[in-house]
Amino acid sequence: MLGLMQDQPLLISSLIEFAERHHGDGEIVSRRVEGDIHRYSWADVARRSRQVANALDSENLLFSDRVATLAWNGYRHLELYYGVSGSGRVLHTINPRLHPEQIAWIANHAEDQILCFDLSFLPLVQAVHAKCATVKKWIALCDADKLPADSGIPGLVSYEAWIGGQSTDYAWPSFDENSASSMCYTSGTTGNPKAALYSHRSTILHAYAAALPDVMGLSARDSVLPVVPMFHVNAWGIPYSAALTGAKVVFPGPALDGKSVYELIEAEKVTYAAGVPTVWQMLLTHMKPAGLRFSTLKRTVIGGSACPPAMIHAFQQDYGVEVLHAWGMTEMSPLGTLCTLKNKHLEMSAEAQDAIRLKQGRAIFGVDMKIVDSDGKELPWDGKAYGDLLVKGPWIVKEYFKAEGGDPLVPDAQGRGWFPTGDVATIDADGFLQITDRSKDVIKSGGEWISSIDIENIAVAHPAIAMAACIGVFHPKWDERPVVAVVKRPGAEVTREELIKFYEGKTAKWQIPDDVIFVEAIPIGATGKILKTKLREQLKGYKLPGL
Ligand code: AMP
């Protein structure tokens, strides 16, 4: 017997219709590429995304055709989120920080038909457009009078001219909720990048889940600043969850430096901000020497890489901002776990609570997780046993676009497929996950594993260290030993010996790095994560002291 509830597909267009009707006057504020501040409302997003849909129809784009963006976080990008997916096409957000060759490869692989770009990426588009065989229209996200005259890009039009003449009426089509809605290529440190292809259903379920109080906890009372880019896993779903909740959204555009982000937080009374640790580091570095304080910011979700304890301490204790440490990945839309305390933790000391916040948190309903040993045997949730982390759920990929890389899932005894995250983790009895490493970054010393994240966290807790990356280096007896590459804060001094001494008492003796390498900079990838492969290349030929 089937239930007798209405059969209504979960579609992205319903989010923008809801936002228009229920909080149409909710504000959307954007710092534009031009540098000025633009403001309008959810009702305006809805109206203009219908114009986008009409413009796509007039280009004769078919259902599921791909429309790409090379764009910062801003209102026009948001209109494309809704106009493209809502009308049944697939939004392909491209990471502009990738190498131009890789961007061309991705655009060809996705078979993008239209590519919309912010003017700051004009040189990039000039470099790649001739190689993008499937793109038949290039659109600059700007006013008609800002369109560059001699761009060299055939048929280039401005976004405003493109949608300007279109009707603001559009009947959003209804279709199978499992239809593709958007796609994002993984950073792909090895081999070609692979794309996660999200569906309307997965996006809506993720948006519901993300809005829950113990997840992102967004509400109509929030002013939300997604510093996480809309070109990487849909800015952690905030453009969708904000429409669902009616939060005010503040887009930072291209200005991600500490000063600009701080000023935007204050000017727009931001209560909630989301970003990766590298961006928050820039913000804190700007604020501390100037003695600046937050007047409205209450919570920040930090993820994408491990949030160091020093950062948790600074936000929580120095600025009174609650840190929500989150873990996820492109293949997971991206949210997997989020760290919020349970009732029984509320009586604990601030230090004990911060120690919990260091973990990546508890699984969101919808995400099943387990850790397994090298034979695939499930490991206990005791906070000590660590193993490969596998996940399954309705917003996690079952395969990559065009079946690239084959079937990624690992079947269990019941034949259910689990996605191997490539992360190594522990899970404690309360269900808190802690990532110890990427499986390929784990350091194996004398048969025991050393967490490179732990080693890095200790280094950046030293006042003279701005950034740290730990890698394993060959050792004839122990297989590998940890060494830590560090960048000093401007004007700060610390010696190799002082830093090694700093580890004493903070980690087991055998886990203390054998060496400290002072470097000018640590290579960072397109999504703000440390590129250990590149660091290993840079340190090729390096030998441990005494060998
Ligand atoms: P991406 O798909 O590019 O977003 O990268 C996903 C990967 O980033 C995960 O598999 C983890 O290795 C890493 N990651 C994401 N969030 C965290 C976190 N909070 N702590 C540690 N690693 C993280």
Side-chain angles (χ1 to χ4, degrees):
M1 184 163 63
L2 293 177
L4 294 174
M5 295 294 114
Q6 295 181 8
D7 190 10
Q8 193 174 303
L10 301 174
L11 298 177
I12 286 173
S13 54
S14 64
L15 287 176
I16 195 63
E17 281 186 319
F18 181 85
E20 180 176 34
R21 177 170 284 245
H22 296 276
H23 32 260
D25 64 349
E27 257 193 310
I28 310 291
V29 179
S30 312
R31 192 195 292 279
R32 303 203 306 170
V33 169
E34 294 89 327
D36 60 342
I37 298 285
H38 173 274
R39 334 181 152 258
Y40 71 169
S41 66
W42 277 111
D44 295 316
V45 182
R47 180 174 47 79
R48 284 168 51 96
S49 56
R50 291 193 292 269
Q51 289 182 295
V52 170
N54 280 315
L56 294 169
D57 285 1
S58 70
E59 300 290 344
N60 297 320
L61 247 65
L62 303 176
F63 190 72
S64 292
D65 272 351
R66 268 75 70 199
V67 176
T69 58
L70 272 169
W72 299 109
N73 291 9
Y75 66 104
R76 290 178 177 126
H77 208 170
L78 187 64
E79 293 160 10
L80 287 163
Y81 263 56
Y82 285 104
V84 172
S85 304
S87 66
R89 283 83 183 203
V90 177
L91 182 79
H92 173 204
T93 52
I94 305 181
N95 186 336
R97 297 194 183 114
L98 294 173
H99 191 272
E101 288 296 324
Q102 226 172 1
I103 290 179
W105 188 93
I106 283 175
N108 283 321
H109 189 262
E111 299 169 53
D112 296 331
Q113 303 284 305
I114 292 182
L115 196 148
C116 307
F117 62 95
D118 272 333
L119 276 186
S120 40
F121 302 122
L122 179 64
L124 185 56
V125 171
Q126 285 168 326
V128 301
H129 79 275
K131 296 179 191 144
C132 300
T134 57
V135 178
K136 56 184 187 203
K137 191 161 197 112
W138 299 87
I139 296 169
L141 295 167
C142 65
D143 293 331
D145 62 352
K146 298 280 181 335
L147 193 70
D150 303 315
S151 68
I153 298 157
L156 181 67
V157 289
S158 83
Y159 177 79
E160 294 301 332
W162 185 57
I163 67 165
Q166 298 294 338
S167 165
T168 56
D169 291 332
Y170 189 80
W172 297 112
S174 184
F175 43 78
D176 185 339
E177 63 183 19
N178 289 300
S179 306
S181 59
S182 67
M183 67 197 300
C184 183
Y185 281 76
T186 58
S187 357
T189 41
T190 51
N192 283 327
K194 300 193 281 282
L197 186 62
Y198 311 113
S199 70
H200 285 258
R201 175 185 156 79
S202 70
T203 305
I204 301 274
L205 291 177
H206 183 270
Y208 269 124
L212 285 169
D214 268 0
V215 186
M216 298 248 238
L218 293 184
S219 94
R221 292 169 297 288
D222 277 316
S223 169
V224 183
L225 175 78
V227 182
V228 285
M230 291 168 81
F231 57 71
H232 185 57
V233 220
N234 300 328
W236 299 352
I238 291 174
Y240 306 116
S241 298
L244 179 148
T245 53
K248 167 180 172 178
V249 186
V250 182
F251 288 122
L256 305 181
D257 61 283
K259 181 170 185 287
S260 306
V261 170
Y262 176 76
E263 287 172 358
L264 203 57
I265 290 175
E266 289 300 299
E268 298 305 325
K269 300 189 168 44
V270 167
T271 57
Y272 192 104
V276 296
T278 35
V279 170
W280 283 167
Q281 193 57 53
M282 292 195 283
L283 176 66
L284 294 174
T285 307
H286 167 70
M287 289 177 67
K288 198 163 179 199
L292 299 170
R293 309 289 305 168
F294 294 117
S295 32
T296 52
L297 189 69
K298 295 275 172 307
R299 286 172 299 154
T300 173
V301 51
I302 306 183
S305 336
C307 180
M311 184 171 287
I312 294 180
H313 183 86
F315 273 116
Q316 288 279 151
Q317 314 306 337
D318 302 346
Y319 295 105
V321 174
E322 186 184 0
V323 170
L324 307 167
H325 194 184
W327 166 83
M329 55 197 309
T330 307
E331 289 88 338
M332 300 177 71
S333 304
L335 293 177
T337 64
L338 211 120
C339 194
T340 51
L341 303 183
K342 290 183 171 179
N343 182 279
K344 65 180 181 184
H345 299 132
L346 299 181
E347 302 295 312
M348 288 178 160
S349 68
E351 287 71 32
Q353 289 184 349
D354 281 1
I356 297 174
R357 292 182 212 281
L358 193 57
K359 302 192 174 197
Q360 279 75 3
R362 295 177 281 133
I364 302 163
F365 172 73
V367 175
D368 276 347
M369 61 186 189
K370 64 176 179 180
I371 42 174
V372 299
D373 67 13
S374 49
D375 299 325
K377 198 167 101 328
E378 195 166 348
L379 294 165
W381 290 22
D382 59 8
K384 291 191 196 80
Y386 49 83
D388 293 318
L389 175 64
L390 287 93
V391 289
K392 66 179 180 62
W395 57 81
I396 298 168
V397 292
K398 64 175 174 203
E399 67 177 69
Y400 290 99
F401 182 53
K402 295 185 172 170
E404 209 65 52
D407 179 2
L409 301 190
V410 179
D412 62 16
Q414 287 79 37
R416 295 170 306 190
W418 292 74
F419 179 78
T421 62
D423 287 328
V424 176
T426 61
I427 306 176
D428 69 19
D430 286 323
F432 285 78
L433 171 89
Q434 183 155 27
I435 304 286
T436 54
D437 249 312
R438 291 294 292 164
S439 51
K440 56 186 178 305
D441 292 339
V442 129
I443 297 155
K444 293 170 198 104
S445 178
E448 295 286 343
W449 286 10
I450 299 175
S451 156
S452 64
I453 294 178
D454 284 351
I455 304 299
E456 289 155 12
N457 280 345
I458 296 172
V460 293
H462 191 285
I465 300 301
M467 218 177 152
C470 175
I471 57 168
V473 175
F474 171 76
H475 188 283
K477 179 168 176 201
W478 304 111
D479 289 338
E480 272 183 344
R481 289 296 301 154
V483 300
V484 63
V486 294
V487 180
K488 281 191 280 196
R489 285 187 192 280
E493 275 313 324
V494 60
T495 63
R496 172 188 179 277
E497 288 66 32
E498 282 164 352
L499 200 58
I500 289 181
K501 195 152 178 47
F502 185 70
Y503 277 90
E504 284 174 17
K506 298 187 176 71
T507 186
K509 237 186 168 133
W510 61 274
Q511 299 189 338
I512 295 177
D514 279 14
D515 199 10
V516 174
I517 305 168
F518 292 96
V519 291
E520 288 297 314
I522 285 172
I524 299 285
T527 56
K529 295 182 218 294
I530 292 172
L531 275 186
K532 296 223 173 146
T533 37
K534 196 132 186 217
L535 182 66
R536 282 191 201 99
E537 260 169 47
Q538 284 176 5
L539 298 179
K540 219 161 118 192
Y542 165 87
K543 280 204 170 60
L544 285 169
L547 287 188

